[in-house]
Amino acid sequence: MKEVIVADPTGFCFGVKRAIDGITQALAEEDDVWSIGMPIHNAQEVARLSAMGLKVAEGVEDIPNGARVLIRAHGESRAVLRELQDRGARVVDMTCPFVRRAQDHADRLSAEGFDVVLLGDARHPEIRAIMGCVDGPLEVVADVQDAEKLSRRRRMALISQTTQQEECLIAVAAALVKKAEELYVCNTVCRATVERQDAVRGLAGKVDGVLVVGGRDSANTARLRDIAVANGMDVLWIDNIDEMNGGWLEGKNQIGIVAGASTPQWLITEVCSKIARM
Ligand code: SF4
């Protein structure tokens, strides 16, 4: 191995850093701080925060009355926020402002009579939270094929999960042009996502392989892997340092390292050190 190129930017984005700072500050003020679901899609970082006292509840029904509760960067639905209020929870809202923008667009356009179409993964907490901000008709599409199955409507508003590829948003918008008399498209893909995706594309032709570091359920990490594969790169996706595979490194002179927006810098540094030792 001659060279390791760490993509720039890579790893924690603004919204994740902000949420972790919020948790750390809350834990410095009191022992019991709760999160509904994993606060970020990285098991090692969640383990580190749990060791500091963070408690992860599976659902809002597990939150004790009056508890201090952190809303993660993905945001929460109105129903969950109402339930927290009923339980007297003291909420620290760390919804990323870029996710909030997508929620606000969805809420406003639905109220104006648009049928909302969300591009993203229907199981992802960010999409579930946006769905929970809309009272009117709403559909979730994962790709162009899903969009083409939608029936024709008078007014449609297309909003994207913040971690999608802009190319996919453009393709879905093109498919929906034929489905509505009036189509309103909001580009809610966040800049941190675009910059990290461009950094992966920038490695094409410069490296013999790309190591993707990030949680398996991290949507933005999955996109980085997809982009590397689509650009013909040999990819190894690892969730943690134990998955580093010496065999994959064999015969490679240059490798690139990219990490999802929920991957901490300390893990990227550990991966680089392990490669150096190997
Ligand atoms: S990926 Fe973008 S939208 Fe999501 S938390 Fe980070 S900055 Fe916010």
Side-chain angles (χ1 to χ4, degrees):
M1 171 73 52
K2 287 184 186 150
E3 195 182 6
V4 174
I5 303 173
V6 180
D8 182 25
T10 209
F12 274 180
C13 61
F14 153 81
V16 170
K17 271 192 209 129
R18 181 172 169 271
I20 289 180
D21 287 349
I23 298 174
T24 309
Q25 192 182 329
L27 286 169
E29 289 165 8
E30 65 185 284
D31 293 339
D32 274 6
V33 176
W34 289 77
S35 155
I36 306 171
M38 299 261 278
I40 65 167
H41 291 302
N42 186 276
Q44 297 95 320
E45 183 64 8
V46 174
R48 189 184 72 82
L49 295 167
S50 298
M52 291 166 65
L54 178 73
K55 295 184 168 52
V56 179
E58 282 196 14
V60 66
E61 61 284 355
D62 301 322
I63 301 286
N65 286 346
R68 195 160 191 189
V69 182
L70 180 118
I71 304 297
R72 54 192 172 178
H74 297 318
E76 282 294 352
S77 66
R78 282 191 200 134
V80 167
L81 295 177
R82 267 197 305 271
E83 177 69 28
L84 286 172
Q85 199 176 19
D86 291 348
R87 286 169 180 264
R90 289 164 298 127
V91 169
V92 183
D93 191 352
M94 286 293 149
T95 305
C96 177
F98 301 117
V99 174
R100 171 84 65 215
R101 190 166 61 103
Q103 293 177 343
D104 289 347
H105 279 311
D107 180 22
R108 175 179 60 83
L109 290 162
S110 175
E112 287 176 11
F114 286 86
D115 287 13
V116 173
V117 179
L118 291 180
L119 169 62
D121 175 355
R123 295 158 305 170
H124 193 279
E126 180 188 321
I127 286 288
R128 291 206 309 267
I130 300 173
M131 290 165 78
C133 296
V134 171
D135 294 324
L138 178 144
E139 310 260 4
V140 181
V141 297
D143 50 30
V144 176
Q145 287 73 30
D146 279 358
E148 278 168 352
K149 287 181 204 147
L150 294 182
S151 56
R152 193 172 165 77
R153 319 282 166 89
R154 199 170 74 75
R155 305 177 94 195
M156 268 187 189
L158 174 61
I159 295 164
S160 171
Q161 189 172 348
T162 55
T163 48
Q164 284 288 314
Q165 289 190 54
E166 281 183 325
E167 294 72 13
C168 185
L169 176 64
I170 292 165
V172 168
L176 294 185
V177 163
K178 298 172 227 154
K179 301 277 181 183
E181 279 174 40
E182 193 180 340
L183 176 66
Y184 194 111
V185 181
C186 303
N187 184 351
T188 42
V189 177
C190 88
R191 285 299 99 192
T193 296
V194 173
E195 287 166 9
R196 279 157 183 72
Q197 293 177 355
D198 284 346
V200 178
R201 290 186 190 97
L203 293 173
K206 294 185 188 152
V207 294
D208 303 315
V210 169
L211 192 59
V212 178
V213 187
R216 294 264 181 261
D217 46 4
S218 161
N220 72 82
T221 307
R223 291 289 94 70
L224 299 182
R225 186 270 322 268
D226 293 347
I227 290 168
V229 170
N231 282 273
M233 297 183 235
D234 181 1
V235 177
L236 177 66
W237 181 356
I238 61 167
D239 171 78
N240 62 69
I241 192 104
D242 297 331
E243 291 180 5
M244 272 294 308
N245 175 348
W248 182 80
L249 291 174
E250 260 169 42
K252 293 186 171 68
N253 284 323
Q254 279 94 13
I255 67 157
I257 295 184
V258 301
S262 48
T263 306
Q265 182 58 46
W266 61 260
L267 182 54
I268 301 169
T269 305
E270 270 186 14
V271 169
C272 291
S273 304
K274 185 159 182 185
I275 291 170
R277 288 197 301 277
M278 286 167 122

